[in-house]
Amino acid sequence: MATQQTRSLARFMMAPSVVLLFVWMIVPLALTLWFSFQQYNPLNPIRDGFVGFSNYALFYSNPAFLQSILNTLILVVSVLLITVIGGILLALLIDQPMWGQGIVRILVISPFFVMPPVAALVWKNMIMHPQYGVFADIARFFGMQPIDWFGQHPLTAIIIIVAWQWLPFATLILLTALQSLDGEQKEAAEMDGAGFISRFIYLTLPHMSRAITVVILIQTIFLLSVYAEILVTTNGGPGYASTNLPFLVYQKALLEFKIGQASAGGVIAVILANIVAFFAMRAVGKNLDK
Amino acid sequence: MKLRTLTLGLLSASALAFAAHAESITIATVNNGDMVRMQKLTDDFTKANPDIQLNWVTLEENVLRERVTTDIATKGGQYDVMTIGTYEVPIWAKQSWLLPLDKLGDDYDAKDIIPAIAGGLSVDGKLYAAPFYGESSFVMYRKDLMEKAGLKMPDAPTWDFIKQAADKMTDRANGVNGVCLRGKAGWGENMAFLTAMSNSFGARWFDENWKPQFDQPEWKKTLQFYVDLMKADGPEGASSNGFNENLALFQQGKCGMWIDATVAASFVSDPKNSTVADKVGYALAPDNGLGKRGNWLWAWSLAIPAGTKKADAAEKFVSWATSKHYAELVASKEGWANVPPGTRSSLYANAEYQKAAPFAKMTLDSINAADPTHPTVKPVPYVGVQFVAIPEFQGLGTTVGQLFSAALAGQSSVDDALKQAQDAATAAMTEGGYIK
């Protein structure tokens, strides 16, 4: 039990880092808010000044805006579904005793070590390319027309790439959870005559629920800001088919130099991310309190 | 001991004096082969100017553009010399962000610069950037496939001929596409090609009152022709293909024709990298008999930002890098074929260069066929052949590029793409204060 004194001492010693972290967050946020109310285009400096909410109105009325929100959500949900379900299956698989288990495990987690732009380039040019890609070769081998992934199914292509990158993370966390399951419990269930499926549903899955929660929360944060994969492969197109919110903000800021509108987009993104985080915490965060 | 201290003191004093005297300038440039070669040859400059030191910042094209634009717009002052294109020069010069280049030296011979290029880099008759290399666009085609198709490429083909030839050359079973064109979205990618192409169809971005023209029949004809041509005779996944992708396709023998930058000629005719090097022919970009061809005009150029405190040293460097002397220096070390093309008339009069570069004449003819001050059939209020030299164009061009790329990919119809382009352009021009 901490005494009054040790608690004050702890607060006093923690204060600098708390202040630093606070300033670290508050300054960029305040600047973003400030710029979101300014007409600021460095390429056209004559028309500067306070413009009220018109940046927000312009950002909202942009035809790409609603599409980008929809794309952001589709991207997050699809990748979460693939990585969580795939992660559970892979974790179960590589938890089985087998020859060369160490090597298999390293191979499974290796995509996580590849940097996003590099991964995207490899997928774009060597795997999904409609002329030279492995997929195209396979399609031609079976006498089928190769799929033009980035032209016809751009968002699906990006979901596949991002899921490929995050699957190892999910697998790793879920595998650790799986390994912490008590062997005696499993044996007891087996002796009671529980089959593989009922053991999985009533024993393994509840045991993994906390790990699944962690995977969903961490991935949601990162998936809301997917950017490099889009920049490298489709540049948000064709049309707005693969533009998500971070990419739209990038387009406004660094291609069009509309700093005001980009800041407004940034503020909207922060608000939306908080809404998503709130619901995610409500829905799955309860698991963490147990 | 005393003597040693004295010597050290004297030495450091002279070093300080030298440092105060020597000036170092920072040059931002693009990582293209010609610029990288220039960096290797700078000994020649520093020998003649021992009091000037050069610092290089070499970046990929898009990154360079972001950096120098941010630097000059926020008056960051990081660079003394900037590599920019014909798009930026007129805009920045009008904002008084660039210094006019009027002290390039007595033997610089500014009149030797090809008039079309000089026109693109001048405002009110004053040169604001010196061209390092220049380019237009033209048709590169496979002579063997043309022969097989029973056709002969004229020096100045029409779009109808290109369509006819593409239809005959396409042999999908053997991986040959009749024509490869840019489809990747971007103001410098598909819109460079499509804007130049639209000029030859009589289209324009804006009328004299800055009203967008995508609702006019000329644009419909341009985009419909392009989409139909690419669907029938273009490669798979064309909506992701930019300059580099098409270059690779052509070098591997997968394209019958390719309409793109004249600088590509030295790559497709290089036997080390191209499987079709000995089979390539060249022709002017196509037209429709309306008086304008579908070719563009571009020059990577060196300019000096107005904020620099080292203008004299910077101008000396710009003069050296874009001089006739530099061309001769490259020729003596690496051969005439490697001299930066497209900037000086004298290079094209040089017999040795003509021999080393079989595409020289067609390149010069293409550059001369482009007029950035009168780019379209109907009058326009802007300068620029494959772009509109206003600050809003970077953003707008890329947005429209995305819409047209979607039409090529079949994600939207030609009519929808044009309608959305009209809306986006109207919004951008209203926001920019061009139309009320």
Side-chain angles (χ1 to χ4, degrees):
Chain A
M1 192 66 185
T3 63
Q4 185 67 40
Q5 274 167 324
T6 52
R7 245 184 274 156
S8 322
L9 186 67
R11 280 198 194 119
F12 178 73
M13 291 177 76
M14 270 164 65
S17 49
V18 171
V19 170
L20 192 69
L21 272 176
F22 186 69
V23 172
W24 197 266
M25 270 178 58
I26 210 77
V27 169
L29 199 62
L31 274 176
T32 310
L33 258 179
W34 161 257
F35 276 120
S36 73
F37 293 109
Q38 301 287 318
Q39 159 89 29
Y40 177 44
N41 183 339
L43 295 180
N44 210 349
I46 310 140
R47 291 160 46 80
D48 285 358
F50 181 78
V51 288
F53 280 92
S54 79
N55 280 328
Y56 288 89
L58 282 171
F59 195 83
Y60 178 75
S61 64
N62 187 333
F65 174 69
L66 287 178
Q67 171 108 47
S68 74
I69 296 218
L70 189 67
N71 287 344
T72 312
L73 292 177
I74 293 176
L75 185 74
V76 172
V77 173
S78 317
V79 176
L80 280 180
L81 279 175
I82 297 173
T83 52
V84 171
I85 296 172
I88 292 173
L89 295 178
L90 266 179
L92 285 172
L93 198 69
I94 60 178
D95 193 38
Q96 305 300 316
M98 65 174 119
W99 186 79
Q101 196 177 40
I103 295 171
V104 171
R105 283 184 186 169
I106 288 174
L107 282 178
V108 168
I109 61 168
S110 58
F112 202 53
F113 303 131
V114 184
M115 285 177 283
V118 178
L121 273 176
V122 169
W123 275 89
K124 181 189 179 191
N125 294 320
M126 294 167 72
I127 303 174
M128 288 177 162
H129 197 284
Q131 300 271 348
Y132 323 111
V134 177
F135 286 179
D137 285 344
I138 295 172
R140 274 191 287 265
F141 180 79
F142 289 107
M144 291 185 299
Q145 181 79 3
I147 298 172
D148 173 12
W149 284 96
F150 298 108
Q152 306 300 329
H153 314 286
L155 196 57
T156 314
I158 287 165
I159 288 170
I160 293 173
I161 298 173
V162 177
W164 176 82
Q165 287 183 294
W166 281 97
L167 188 58
F169 171 80
T171 309
L172 202 64
I173 303 278
L174 297 173
L175 179 65
T176 347
L178 205 58
Q179 286 174 337
S180 70
L181 181 58
D182 194 356
E184 282 177 18
Q185 272 190 340
K186 270 194 272 184
E187 273 170 38
E190 231 167 317
M191 283 169 76
D192 287 343
F196 177 81
I197 294 179
S198 28
R199 260 184 292 148
F200 174 73
I201 293 175
Y202 297 108
L203 190 63
T204 316
L205 210 53
H207 180 78
M208 285 165 97
S209 64
R210 287 183 81 168
I212 293 175
T213 310
V214 170
V215 168
I216 291 177
L217 283 182
I218 293 182
Q219 286 199 162
T220 306
I221 295 166
F222 283 93
L223 293 175
L224 280 171
S225 58
V226 165
Y227 161 77
E229 292 85 349
I230 298 176
L231 181 77
V232 170
T233 54
T234 62
N235 244 312
Y240 308 118
S242 58
T243 301
N244 68 352
L245 204 50
F247 196 80
L248 188 63
V249 171
Y250 154 78
Q251 275 189 335
K252 289 283 161 212
L254 283 169
L255 289 178
E256 303 183 20
F257 286 95
K258 290 175 183 165
I259 309 297
Q261 274 189 51
S263 302
V267 173
I268 293 174
V270 168
I271 294 170
L272 285 177
N274 275 298
I275 294 174
V276 171
F278 177 77
F279 282 109
M281 286 298 274
R282 288 280 300 236
V284 292
K286 282 183 213 146
N287 277 328
L288 294 176
D289 297 333
K290 280 179 201 161
Chain B
M1 192 65 173
K2 257 189 181 166
L3 187 67
R4 216 203 214 168
T5 324
L6 193 69
T7 325
L8 268 177
L10 276 173
L11 266 175
S12 49
S14 58
L16 268 177
F18 181 73
H21 185 61
E23 217 166 9
S24 82
I25 55 172
T26 306
I27 302 154
T29 194
V30 60
N31 65 349
N32 293 353
D34 287 294
M35 278 75 173
V36 173
R37 185 179 293 122
M38 169 169 68
Q39 292 176 39
K40 285 189 204 141
L41 296 173
T42 44
D43 274 355
D44 180 77
F45 175 76
T46 41
K47 256 184 220 156
N49 300 280
D51 54 339
I52 301 175
Q53 287 172 356
L54 306 181
N55 297 326
W56 294 95
V57 177
T58 313
L59 298 163
E60 190 264 325
E61 180 174 334
N62 292 328
V63 185
L64 171 87
R65 197 166 271 135
E66 280 174 21
R67 291 275 176 86
V68 295
T69 309
T70 317
D71 187 62
I72 203 155
T74 57
K75 303 194 170 40
Q78 283 185 53
Y79 311 110
D80 303 298
V81 175
M82 290 177 169
T83 306
I84 55 179
T86 25
Y87 167 67
E88 286 90 0
V89 176
I91 301 173
W92 293 8
K94 261 184 216 150
Q95 307 259 34
S96 306
W97 287 351
L98 300 177
L99 294 180
L101 301 177
D102 39 22
K103 289 178 284 183
L104 288 166
D106 297 334
D107 54 352
Y108 184 74
D109 195 5
K111 288 209 177 79
D112 185 37
I113 297 174
I114 296 170
I117 300 275
L121 301 175
S122 303
V123 171
D124 299 331
K126 268 192 206 163
L127 197 64
Y128 279 87
F132 184 73
Y133 76 75
E135 64 173 38
S136 181
S137 55
F138 59 8
V139 184
M140 291 161 272
Y141 66 94
R142 289 270 301 279
K143 289 191 234 171
D144 56 326
L145 294 178
M146 281 300 273
E147 208 170 304
K148 206 171 130 196
L151 293 168
K152 194 180 175 316
M153 176 70 84
D155 276 349
T158 61
W159 281 108
D160 283 339
F161 179 83
I162 294 288
K163 170 87 179 118
Q164 187 196 346
D167 287 346
K168 283 201 174 156
M169 283 200 255
T170 301
D171 179 5
R172 292 241 159 99
N174 288 314
V176 176
N177 306 287
V179 65
C180 297
L181 302 172
R182 295 184 184 190
K184 189 196 240 173
W187 72 267
E189 284 282 5
N190 66 341
M191 286 322 289
F193 176 80
L194 277 166
T195 304
M197 178 181 172
S198 78
N199 293 339
S200 66
F201 276 75
R204 50 184 176 166
W205 270 74
F206 304 106
D207 71 3
E208 298 96 312
N209 300 316
W210 292 104
K211 188 178 174 303
Q213 299 292 297
F214 292 106
D215 54 356
Q216 299 299 308
E218 290 88 356
W219 262 110
K220 162 115 184 165
K221 264 187 230 156
T222 310
L223 195 59
Q224 192 71 54
F225 186 91
Y226 166 81
V227 170
D228 291 346
L229 178 67
M230 290 300 278
K231 270 193 186 140
D233 306 311
E236 281 291 331
S239 64
S240 321
N241 289 352
F243 174 81
N244 286 320
E245 288 82 1
N246 283 328
L247 172 63
L249 287 172
F250 195 90
Q251 284 179 330
Q252 289 163 16
K254 290 177 191 276
C255 305
M257 291 177 285
W258 178 31
I259 306 174
D260 214 304
T262 51
V263 289
S266 62
F267 304 127
V268 295
S269 61
D270 173 8
K272 266 185 259 165
N273 295 313
S274 173
T275 56
V276 294
D278 54 339
K279 305 186 184 94
V280 191
Y282 308 94
L284 289 180
D287 72 349
N288 268 332
L290 299 174
K292 292 286 171 193
R293 298 206 155 267
N295 61 308
W296 67 65
L297 189 74
W298 183 256
W300 276 117
S301 314
L302 302 175
I304 303 172
T308 181
K309 294 188 179 73
K310 299 158 185 170
D312 287 343
E315 198 153 356
K316 264 186 202 163
F317 172 78
V318 171
S319 171
W320 171 80
T322 59
S323 63
K324 285 183 195 166
H325 164 76
Y326 178 78
E328 280 157 19
L329 179 70
V330 176
S332 71
K333 303 244 168 167
E334 318 234 352
W336 276 103
N338 288 314
V339 171
T343 61
R344 285 179 172 274
S345 307
S346 54
L347 181 66
Y348 290 88
N350 185 323
E352 281 178 277
Y353 182 67
Q354 287 169 359
K355 209 171 81 189
F359 41 82
K361 185 187 173 298
M362 205 49 90
T363 300
L364 183 66
D365 290 350
S366 298
I367 289 174
N368 285 334
D371 179 0
T373 47
H374 302 96
T376 50
V377 177
K378 292 178 189 167
V380 287
Y382 54 84
V383 178
V385 179
Q386 77 280 24
F387 53 79
V388 178
I390 54 171
E392 287 76 8
F393 185 74
Q394 286 201 50
L396 180 59
T398 300
T399 303
V400 174
Q402 284 288 17
L403 297 167
F404 289 179
S405 174
L408 176 62
Q411 301 258 350
S412 71
S413 70
V414 166
D415 287 328
D416 281 349
L418 285 169
K419 192 187 167 303
Q420 289 174 35
Q422 178 73 8
D423 292 346
T426 308
M429 297 316 277
T430 313
E431 203 186 313
Y434 292 82
I435 43 180
K436 297 277 176 274

